[in-house]
Amino acid sequence: MSNRLNTPNDLRAFWMPFTANRQFKKEPRLFVGAKDMHYTTHDGRTVLDGTAGLWCVNAGHCRPKITEAIREQAGELDYAPAFQLGHPKAFELANRLVDIAPEGMNHVLYTNSGSESVDTALKVALAYHRAKGDGSRFRLIGRERGYHGVNFGGISVGGIVSNRKMFGTLLTGVDHMPHTHLPAQNGFTRGEPEHGGDIATELERIVTLHDASTIAAVIVEPVAGSTGVLIPPKGYLQKLREICTKHGILLIFDEVITGFGRLGTPFAAQYFDVKPDIITTAKGLTNGVIPMGAVFVTSEIHDAFMNGPEHMIEFFHGYTYSGNPIASAAALGTLDTYKEEGLLTRAAELAPYWEEGLHSLKDCPHVIDIRNLGLIGAIELQPIAGEPTKRAFSAFLKAYESGLLIRTTGDIIALSPPLIISKAEIDELFGKLRAVLNSNI
């Protein structure tokens, strides 16, 4: 047995996710505190949170109701098994979630992350068709540039090359629709682009290729986030709904990012007035404080499983931590905070001011496109020849040094601040970002 002891702040043991580990560990960037709109760094600086952590801290940091709910629950009931047993808060939370969900989304399954929510939704879709006696529907249709987490189901239907290329054949029976990014026609669009709604008809081509009788579900992000904020063209999501309905295909909205107020409605399905069959969520469900996700399904889907002897398990799926008591308490505290402060609709009020500030950066060097919807924004930068992603990463580092947290993907800067952001903080955010973009990155 080794007698070696690592010091508490030795950085070597932690293999960090989605991180340039060698670069980071030479010049670490550590947060040691947070409150409302700001982080505190290990060297005592304040950083304005322009990304709600990772698209998840919608109510701002260290909010009292959430903190207190966790504290109370931890002292009362720390864990309860989720299989054949329950606890009150899991049921209370499900009812509260259904109350704000799109009409018809009457049932909730719990997960622990967005990735798990996606895999759960895919399994529900496959099992639903089988439960109806339609087991020939085994195909799953995703989209190029789609991001649906990092589990095998999610990367199979996802369409980001770097997330897929190292992991073998993935799931079989998966196909992909084309993405909707048309910079030549839709550059610097404010809100939903005018061009590209007809791209949805590519689903008809896929249906013709495979036959509708083999297709179980289509999964898309209403607004594609992690690939660089791709806003759906006008009519696109509505057309997908029509095609799926026509062919008996389930439509899954991945709302891990857009859920819980990001567009100014509780869910993007309500913003676009399109009713999917399944919705995946996570992130903002607990304000990012404790891992938790939820999958919403219609009564039609739920009821298809409620057959056979009552003592038999209807759906062989779930997690040790599904509906965990402390996570449930955190989610209830989050919903209370959203309700009391009007945060599920606040983005609608701030969106015009946000849009003006974002598009004011159009004249900055190397900016080749700007996109926005609700309290989401993207600034696409001209890549450095032969060094893709370097310009945006340099912007990320300079922003951090100047007291601003941004997110980058490829050569795109993505922004999604906590929904509590003020107009003065929006001005501060774009002022700092303008200085970064003008700094010869």
Side-chain angles (χ1 to χ4, degrees):
M1 179 179 255
S2 171
N3 292 320
R4 180 175 64 89
L5 293 175
N6 290 311
T7 60
N9 291 319
D10 190 315
L11 304 181
R12 290 174 294 178
F14 180 22
W15 190 349
M16 300 170 66
F18 282 104
T19 296
N21 277 256
R22 290 163 297 170
Q23 188 278 339
F24 178 91
K25 290 171 184 180
K26 287 178 181 177
E27 300 180 54
R29 300 172 293 278
L30 302 175
F31 290 139
V32 298
K35 181 60 179 170
D36 297 332
M37 280 295 303
H38 294 87
Y39 282 106
T40 302
T41 66
H42 68 287
D43 52 357
R45 297 184 305 108
T46 298
V47 175
L48 179 66
D49 186 357
T51 60
L54 267 177
W55 308 88
C56 52
V57 188
N58 290 0
H61 295 275
C62 295
R63 302 307 309 278
K65 278 192 174 295
I66 304 171
T67 303
E68 187 57 32
I70 293 168
R71 182 182 295 113
E72 288 184 5
Q73 188 61 46
E76 179 181 291
L77 176 65
D78 55 350
Y79 177 79
F83 303 168
Q84 305 285 15
L85 293 162
H87 64 90
K89 281 191 170 59
F91 295 94
E92 179 186 353
L93 175 60
N95 290 330
R96 293 276 301 276
L97 290 171
V98 165
D99 285 345
I100 64 172
E103 185 177 354
M105 292 288 169
N106 297 324
H107 300 276
V108 175
L109 301 97
Y110 291 123
T111 70
N112 307 291
S113 67
S115 294
E116 287 186 2
S117 289
V118 167
D119 277 25
T120 297
L122 298 178
K123 290 174 74 174
V124 167
L126 294 169
Y128 164 74
H129 288 295
R130 184 173 177 129
K132 288 182 60 184
D134 204 3
S136 65
R137 291 184 180 267
F138 66 93
R139 296 190 187 277
L140 302 166
I141 311 301
R143 186 168 58 183
E144 296 170 0
R145 294 187 67 168
Y147 179 77
H148 302 291
V150 294
N151 290 349
F152 269 96
I155 62 174
S156 296
V157 295
I160 297 180
V161 175
S162 297
N163 293 356
R164 293 165 51 88
K165 65 184 181 182
M166 298 180 72
F167 307 112
T169 58
L170 309 181
L171 296 186
T172 59
V174 174
D175 208 337
H176 292 80
M177 301 178 293
H179 62 73
T180 61
H181 188 40
L182 301 172
Q185 295 98 317
N186 293 324
F188 296 97
T189 292
R190 296 176 178 234
E192 296 172 69
E194 293 288 340
H195 304 284
D198 58 343
I199 294 174
T201 60
E202 279 293 300
L203 179 56
E204 288 281 15
R205 180 189 61 79
I206 292 174
V207 169
T208 301
L209 174 65
H210 298 297
D211 195 78
S213 66
T214 71
I215 301 175
V218 168
I219 182 168
V220 295
E221 303 156 272
V223 177
S226 295
T227 191
V229 184
L230 306 185
I231 312 299
K234 290 180 179 177
Y236 173 83
L237 295 173
Q238 292 79 359
K239 187 64 176 176
L240 282 186
R241 175 70 277 179
E242 292 171 11
I243 296 171
C244 287
T245 300
K246 173 183 173 184
H247 295 292
I249 300 167
L250 296 182
L251 178 61
I252 304 170
F253 272 8
D254 184 344
E255 295 221 34
V256 171
I257 282 177
T258 53
F260 303 101
R262 184 52 54 187
L263 300 184
T265 52
F267 298 93
Q270 294 150 325
Y271 181 91
F272 293 108
D273 194 23
V274 175
K275 181 183 174 184
D277 301 290
I278 302 174
I279 293 175
T280 66
T281 67
K283 294 190 183 291
L285 172 59
T286 59
N287 202 45
V289 176
I290 290 179
M292 191 181 204
V295 178
F296 296 77
V297 303
T298 62
S299 291
E300 179 183 353
I301 291 174
H302 168 271
D303 293 350
F305 291 87
M306 300 301 131
N307 296 302
E310 288 191 3
H311 70 281
M312 292 293 293
I313 295 169
E314 296 99 359
F315 183 41
F316 283 80
H317 176 76
Y319 302 98
T320 300
Y321 304 109
S322 293
N324 174 275
I326 298 175
S328 296
L332 287 167
T334 299
L335 292 182
D336 287 342
T337 303
Y338 288 156
K339 182 176 181 180
E340 291 176 13
E341 300 182 16
L343 296 182
L344 294 181
T345 56
R346 190 164 189 268
E349 303 165 18
L350 286 175
Y353 196 84
W354 171 261
E355 180 180 280
E356 288 299 322
L358 181 67
H359 282 269
S360 73
L361 302 177
K362 180 179 180 179
D363 63 340
C364 291
H366 311 299
V367 173
I368 60 174
D369 194 18
I370 292 176
R371 303 181 284 274
N372 69 281
L373 199 69
L375 274 185
I376 302 177
I379 302 165
E380 188 156 357
L381 304 177
Q382 180 70 48
I384 297 172
E387 296 183 292
T389 78
K390 186 174 182 179
R391 175 163 280 138
F393 186 64
S394 296
F396 166 78
L397 295 176
K398 289 194 174 186
Y400 176 80
E401 291 166 4
S402 69
L404 173 64
L405 179 64
I406 61 175
R407 177 92 179 110
T408 64
T409 174
D411 275 297
I412 299 165
I413 295 170
L415 301 166
S416 60
L419 303 176
I420 63 170
I421 193 170
S422 66
K423 289 184 176 180
E425 288 163 335
I426 291 175
D427 292 341
E428 178 187 353
L429 188 159
F430 290 125
K432 288 179 180 293
L433 196 49
R434 173 173 286 279
V436 168
L437 294 173
N438 285 335
S439 66
N440 193 32
I441 54 174

